[in-house]
Amino acid sequence: MAHSVKNGTPSTPRQVPERCAQCTDRAERLFCNLPDEAIERFDEIAMQISYPSRSIVFEEGQRAAGIFVVCSGQIKLAATSRDGRTMILKIAVPGDVLGLSATLNDQPYEVTAETLEPCQIRSVRRRDFLEFLSHYGDVSRHAAQVIAREYHEVFLDARRLALSGSAAGRLAQLLLDWARTSSCGKPELRFTMALTHEELANMAGTSRETVTRLLNQFERDELITRHGSSIVILRPAEMERMVG
Amino acid sequence: MAHSVKNGTPSTPRQVPERCAQCTDRAERLFCNLPDEAIERFDEIAMQISYPSRSIVFEEGQRAAGIFVVCSGQIKLAATSRDGRTMILKIAVPGDVLGLSATLNDQPYEVTAETLEPCQIRSVRRRDFLEFLSHYGDVSRHAAQVIAREYHEVFLDARRLALSGSAAGRLAQLLLDWARTSSCGKPELRFTMALTHEELANMAGTSRETVTRLLNQFERDELITRHGSSIVILRPAEMERMVG
DNA sequence: TCCGCACTGTGACGCACGTCACACGTCCAT
DNA sequence: ATGGACGTGTGACGTGCGTCACAGTGCGGA
């Protein structure tokens, strides 16, 4: 198994159009779905960059230089403490906007963004972005909504960490959240997990060993099944109940 | 001591003006600091309400009815799990806006808001607020900034819960954050804590007994001193070091 | 083909801390 | 003045889970 886990992610590192105006995925992306004239202007101030896999887009603590819109690829957002403990906040996917809150408040980025695969990213410098916002009122509303959504996600993280007393609870919760957002719509809670146990541990606020033990436990109890790196949650209700 | 803790809070339950336009504190409040014409309109759609102490403004899970701007008083924002565990997210103070993210995304409130003392609150219904936003472009930017700040606060909570391994660390961190925001500016980290040990525990993600033990411990180690409900952090550096 | 590396699996150990249980002080209502 | 509610202080006990240590496995490179 091992390395194939990474390859299990089939997210197409496909080419994206030169300009946002031509992007066919715009409509379904909260932030990108802007009025035509705004998009035109956005294309003027945005810069398109390709990042190789495992590269750093920006780092925790750097003064915010601007925002980054993910066009293709997956990006890990993580924060670390002085003594090396790591918290993975989320895995950003196409359509997500990075560095928004830090940019708006002119503060340091609160996380480090690292590509998990080759990524296409559009970035806008802080000054340009703020000016852009003041010209196009609607865009501010989009931005507010996007941050509101991010807020909600972080809130859920905090909640999970604070309220699900046991490691088992937090992991269960994590898998449920994940499954639901991943297999959007379909009733069957199958999804492919492109993460190592270590990374899961960092998201659930526990240790690597505990994660492997728990996953095996879950499988023995027939709450989940695994084939390679794909996971199916068999009994969501049971799962839910152990959250706390 | 006991009940006097509550009375230790000297936050003036003073009268607030009828209309925001006449409010003298507007300038120093992120959200309230709006252009004149926007404020006029805001006054038309906002409703001024007085809440007695220990009353519920809105509850976790209710579909968002609108936003609430705190004019005077302190309000506790908390979330609970099915089995009764409680997480206190923050104590809102005048100038804070409640329910913003839920209102923008038309989702349930993620926390319960309960007054800790008699409060004056201005509220705006969802429909009116959204319409207000689309009319006044600048206000959206204010809103975005406000949420960005809230995001940052929750992020810090999540970070504290996830990364400061020990209860001692989380409590220390909490006191530090608190002291810094409370005694804004002054070098001496003195502040008055209007919370019971139980409430502190719910903020630090630990138990009541552990909090009392730790506070006494801190005092024995001369990291802090206490007189009644006021606390001074004597050696912030030491304190800092035990966080992570 | 062989080595090294990254990931996973499992046992053993220890302790931080949650929980229970109870004592004490202060405030308020009757 | 008495009882109840609420906050605080402290001991004893049990355990979840973090940590260390090491074994097994599949991959990729020389």
Side-chain angles (χ1 to χ4, degrees):
Chain A
M1 205 196 300
H3 277 188
S4 67
V5 171
K6 296 276 184 253
N7 313 336
T9 316
S11 58
T12 31
R14 139 185 62 108
Q15 215 53 17
V16 300
E18 284 289 306
R19 325 187 78 238
C20 290
Q22 293 145 15
C23 180
T24 54
D25 301 325
R26 257 171 61 204
E28 65 199 33
R29 294 183 182 169
L30 189 49
F31 177 79
C32 303
N33 192 13
L34 302 176
D36 284 351
E37 56 171 340
I39 275 287
E40 304 264 315
R41 176 65 185 147
F42 187 84
D43 269 325
E44 286 170 29
I45 58 178
M47 192 167 62
Q48 159 90 15
I49 318 178
S50 294
Y51 290 86
S53 185
R54 293 288 165 183
S55 58
I56 304 292
V57 181
F58 56 80
E59 244 169 333
E60 183 182 358
Q62 284 176 352
R63 173 86 172 284
I67 64 153
F68 299 82
V69 182
V70 182
C71 300
S72 77
Q74 295 192 42
I75 298 180
K76 180 174 82 176
L77 303 183
T80 61
S81 66
R82 258 194 300 303
D83 67 340
R85 303 168 70 92
T86 296
M87 161 178 75
I88 299 181
L89 254 198
K90 74 177 261 183
I91 307 295
V93 297
D96 283 337
V97 184
L98 314 183
L100 196 46
S101 86
T103 297
L104 280 175
N105 279 333
D106 196 11
Q107 281 187 342
Y109 293 120
E110 47 265 286
V111 294
T112 296
E114 176 188 353
T115 59
L116 294 178
E117 48 187 357
C119 290
Q120 304 278 335
I121 297 180
R122 235 169 266 270
S123 88
V124 179
R125 317 222 77 230
R126 179 180 143 77
R127 281 180 63 91
D128 295 338
F129 183 67
L130 293 183
E131 198 212 40
F132 177 58
L133 280 192
S134 35
H135 274 338
Y136 299 90
D138 309 4
V139 181
S140 292
R141 272 195 57 191
H142 273 260
Q145 246 175 300
V146 169
I147 302 197
R149 181 172 295 196
E150 285 179 15
Y151 171 89
H152 191 248
E153 283 172 5
V154 185
F155 170 80
L156 290 181
D157 287 347
R159 185 196 167 87
R160 198 178 42 240
L161 289 166
L163 294 184
S164 323
S166 66
R170 292 195 298 276
L171 183 57
Q173 179 78 276
L174 188 62
L175 293 181
L176 283 169
D177 287 358
W178 203 286
R180 277 198 266 264
T181 66
S182 183
S183 69
C184 41
K186 300 149 230 151
E188 199 206 28
L189 290 173
R190 173 193 300 278
F191 64 106
T192 104
M193 190 181 55
L195 298 173
T196 69
H197 291 183
E198 172 111 35
E199 289 172 307
L200 264 186
N202 288 335
M203 300 188 77
T206 181
S207 69
R208 205 269 292 149
E209 294 89 326
T210 302
V211 167
T212 67
R213 277 191 258 264
L214 284 173
L215 285 179
N216 292 335
Q217 180 72 21
F218 288 169
E219 195 155 30
R220 266 200 301 284
D221 297 351
E222 295 178 337
L223 294 171
I224 64 172
T225 48
R226 286 180 288 173
H227 308 91
S229 59
S230 98
I231 293 188
V232 186
I233 297 184
L234 298 175
R235 299 192 275 155
E238 301 280 333
M239 209 73 164
E240 204 81 69
R241 206 166 315 133
M242 80 182 327
V243 167
Chain B
M1 201 195 304
H3 277 188
S4 68
V5 171
K6 295 280 185 249
N7 313 336
T9 316
S11 58
T12 32
R14 143 185 57 110
Q15 215 50 17
V16 300
E18 282 289 304
R19 325 187 77 239
C20 291
Q22 292 145 15
C23 179
T24 54
D25 301 326
R26 259 170 60 204
E28 64 199 32
R29 294 181 181 171
L30 189 48
F31 178 78
C32 303
N33 191 13
L34 301 176
D36 284 350
E37 54 171 341
I39 274 287
E40 304 266 314
R41 175 69 185 144
F42 186 83
D43 269 325
E44 287 171 28
I45 58 178
M47 193 166 62
Q48 159 90 12
I49 317 178
S50 294
Y51 289 87
S53 186
R54 294 287 166 184
S55 58
I56 304 292
V57 181
F58 55 81
E59 244 169 335
E60 181 182 0
Q62 283 176 352
R63 173 87 171 285
I67 64 155
F68 299 81
V69 182
V70 183
C71 300
S72 77
Q74 295 191 42
I75 299 180
K76 179 173 84 176
L77 303 183
T80 61
S81 66
R82 254 190 303 299
D83 66 341
R85 304 167 71 90
T86 297
M87 160 178 75
I88 299 181
L89 253 199
K90 74 178 259 181
I91 307 294
V93 296
D96 284 337
V97 183
L98 314 183
L100 196 46
S101 86
T103 297
L104 281 174
N105 279 333
D106 196 12
Q107 280 186 344
Y109 293 120
E110 47 268 283
V111 295
T112 295
E114 177 188 352
T115 60
L116 294 180
E117 48 186 357
C119 290
Q120 303 280 335
I121 298 181
R122 235 169 265 271
S123 88
V124 180
R125 316 220 80 232
R126 179 181 144 78
R127 281 180 63 91
D128 295 338
F129 183 67
L130 293 182
E131 198 212 40
F132 177 59
L133 281 191
S134 35
H135 274 337
Y136 299 90
D138 309 5
V139 182
S140 293
R141 270 193 61 189
H142 274 260
Q145 245 175 299
V146 170
I147 303 197
R149 180 174 295 195
E150 285 180 14
Y151 170 88
H152 190 249
E153 283 171 5
V154 185
F155 170 80
L156 290 181
D157 288 347
R159 184 197 168 88
R160 195 178 46 240
L161 288 166
L163 296 184
S164 322
S166 68
R170 291 195 299 276
L171 183 57
Q173 179 78 273
L174 188 61
L175 293 180
L176 283 169
D177 287 359
W178 201 286
R180 278 197 267 264
T181 66
S182 184
S183 67
C184 42
K186 300 148 233 154
E188 200 205 26
L189 291 172
R190 172 193 302 277
F191 64 105
T192 105
M193 189 180 54
L195 298 173
T196 69
H197 291 181
E198 173 111 35
E199 290 172 306
L200 264 185
N202 289 335
M203 300 189 76
T206 181
S207 69
R208 193 222 104 218
E209 294 90 327
T210 302
V211 167
T212 65
R213 277 191 257 265
L214 284 174
L215 285 179
N216 292 335
Q217 179 72 21
F218 288 170
E219 193 155 31
R220 268 199 301 284
D221 297 352
E222 296 179 336
L223 294 171
I224 65 173
T225 49
R226 285 180 288 173
H227 307 91
S229 60
S230 98
I231 292 188
V232 186
I233 298 184
L234 298 175
R235 299 192 275 155
E238 301 279 333
M239 208 75 165
E240 203 80 71
R241 207 168 312 132
M242 80 183 328
V243 167

